[in-house]
Amino acid sequence: MSSFQLKRFCTACSTHSSSLEEENQELWLEFISRLLLDTKIKILETAWCLSAFPSELCEFSTNPIRKEAIWVQTLFPLYMQAVLVILHLFYCYFLQVRVTKLEKTMPLPDTLFCAQQIKIPPELPDIMKQFTKAAIRTQPHDVLQWSAAYFTALSKGEPLPVKERIETPSAKQKMDAGLTPGLLKVLHKQLSAKGTVSVAELKEKWKDLCLPEEQLAAILQLDTFDEEVEWMKILALGCSVLGESLLSSMKHACEILTQDPEGGAARIPYETFSFLYCYLASIDGDIPDEKIKAFLQKIKEDADKQSGMVLLRNFQSQPSTRF
């Protein structure tokens, strides 16, 4: 084998260093076959040279000069060829060992995985299922922003920014109104347990639901607030945005605060009803105190007969003051 062929073989070894083990074995078999073939050819050529000069062979043992000439012309090239073959065999062997070690320690960049190699966390399908259902129920305007808030609350164990059901807007309700009873109920679940919340936290929860910031700013301008706000007052002002009158606002408040199932009596404690009604009446400013007291007295009489709970039917039939 010539040095050019051996160089091509070494180049092929380095080029295919990241190939599969079967391909490397085929390459080695091809190399050994060619090496044996070249060795047989050299042996035949040497035998032919020796047979072509019988006189030189006869003088091989008697004439030192002819002995050296025959050695240089015939046997020495074969000997050097054998030495080179052995050296290249060792070189290629150690090259292959090094490549094999690299293949074991360094994974291939374009490794293809089969279905059995891909490990799916067992809780992932249920998480994605619940997330998808929540997104469909809530219908956020900014899915990415809402998703970030959803998974943040999920990781912290906080109430999720998710509606209980899909809301169908009524004919009077604008599609771009922003705040809805369902979203206000979500905010109540997230913030009511704290009682008093900071304006910064309120703005953050408001933004998580993809509600317009201008609407929250308008709500906060209805009263004088510091850096801390009482959540029930914010709830009352949110209901006033949803309702066209004082009693319709109270209706929204009862439906948000009640523990009854949807479509039920929407009962809430009289103390909660009285606080919200008085606060909204003071914001309105046009309802006399005597009228407020007379209205609440009538509501209290009904609540005393209902275990201290106020029902929607206790005030829906009464005339209401428009905001």
Side-chain angles (χ1 to χ4, degrees):
M1 177 179 287
S2 64
S3 60
F4 176 74
Q5 289 175 325
L6 290 172
K7 187 179 296 185
R8 286 188 59 188
F9 170 74
C10 295
T11 304
C13 287
S14 60
T15 304
H16 294 79
S17 60
S18 61
S19 61
L20 297 177
E21 185 178 356
E22 291 78 4
E23 296 180 358
N24 291 335
Q25 291 177 355
E26 293 179 359
L27 189 62
W28 270 100
L29 291 175
E30 182 181 359
F31 167 72
I32 295 300
S33 300
R34 292 182 178 180
L35 181 63
L36 292 176
L37 180 61
D38 291 344
T39 305
K40 291 180 181 180
I41 293 175
K42 290 296 181 180
I43 292 175
L44 292 176
E45 289 179 353
T46 304
W48 180 83
C49 290
L50 293 175
S51 61
F53 302 95
S55 58
E56 287 81 349
L57 292 177
C58 294
E59 300 175 359
F60 183 81
S61 58
T62 58
N63 192 341
I65 299 177
R66 299 302 301 169
K67 175 181 178 180
E68 183 178 357
I70 295 175
W71 168 259
V72 172
Q73 293 179 0
T74 60
L75 298 180
F76 182 73
L78 180 61
Y79 173 77
M80 292 304 299
Q81 183 70 18
V83 172
L84 291 176
V85 167
I86 293 173
L87 290 177
H88 282 291
L89 276 175
F90 276 107
Y91 171 77
C92 294
Y93 171 76
F94 287 112
L95 177 65
Q96 179 66 19
V97 170
R98 185 172 182 83
V99 169
T100 304
K101 289 182 179 179
L102 289 175
E103 288 178 352
K104 291 180 179 180
T105 57
M106 184 181 298
L108 297 179
D110 298 327
T111 303
L112 298 178
F113 294 95
C114 61
Q116 290 76 12
Q117 291 176 301
I118 301 176
K119 303 298 182 181
I120 300 177
E123 64 274 9
L124 180 60
D126 184 63
I127 291 176
M128 298 308 299
K129 179 181 178 181
Q130 297 301 325
F131 166 75
T132 304
K133 292 168 64 176
I136 293 175
R137 286 201 307 269
T138 307
Q139 297 290 314
H141 294 292
D142 190 339
V143 179
L144 291 179
Q145 179 177 338
W146 175 84
S147 300
Y150 175 89
F151 285 108
T152 300
L154 183 64
S155 64
K156 295 181 179 181
E158 299 176 352
L160 301 177
V162 180
K163 293 181 182 179
E164 293 181 353
R165 62 178 180 84
I166 298 178
E167 289 185 289
T168 303
S170 61
K172 296 181 180 180
Q173 185 178 359
K174 297 180 181 180
M175 294 297 295
D176 56 348
L179 186 64
T180 64
L183 294 176
L184 187 57
K185 191 171 185 177
V186 171
L187 288 172
H188 178 69
K189 289 182 178 180
Q190 292 179 316
L191 301 173
S192 61
K194 300 181 179 180
T196 301
V197 297
S198 64
V199 175
E201 184 178 5
L202 176 61
K203 290 182 178 180
E204 180 183 356
K205 299 298 183 183
W206 190 274
K207 185 178 179 181
D208 289 342
L209 292 174
C210 309
L211 293 171
E213 299 180 5
E214 299 80 9
Q215 191 175 32
L216 178 59
I219 291 175
L220 294 176
Q221 289 177 358
L222 295 175
D223 198 357
T224 303
F225 295 107
D226 297 327
E227 295 182 357
E228 299 286 332
V229 297
E230 190 176 351
W231 167 247
M232 291 302 292
K233 291 184 177 181
I234 300 297
L235 175 66
L237 294 176
C239 292
S240 69
V241 173
L242 298 174
E244 298 178 353
S245 63
L246 179 56
L247 292 185
S248 63
S249 301
M250 294 304 301
K251 175 180 178 293
H252 285 296
C254 290
E255 291 175 343
I256 292 173
L257 296 173
T258 185
Q259 299 296 324
D260 295 335
E262 184 179 355
R267 297 170 298 174
I268 64 171
Y270 171 78
E271 292 76 12
T272 303
F273 182 91
S274 175
F275 172 81
L276 295 177
Y277 185 86
C278 291
Y279 177 72
L280 289 179
S282 65
I283 295 296
D284 181 78
D286 295 334
I287 306 176
D289 293 341
E290 295 77 10
K291 191 173 182 179
I292 295 174
K293 291 179 180 179
F295 175 79
L296 291 177
Q297 181 62 32
K298 177 64 172 62
I299 295 296
K300 190 175 188 309
E301 293 176 359
D302 295 334
D304 291 339
K305 301 175 184 179
Q306 301 160 166
S307 302
M309 306 295 287
V310 179
L311 282 66
L312 289 179
R313 58 183 174 85
N314 297 142
F315 62 88
Q316 277 190 317
S317 59
Q318 300 188 24
S320 178
T321 302
R322 301 180 67 87
F323 281 110

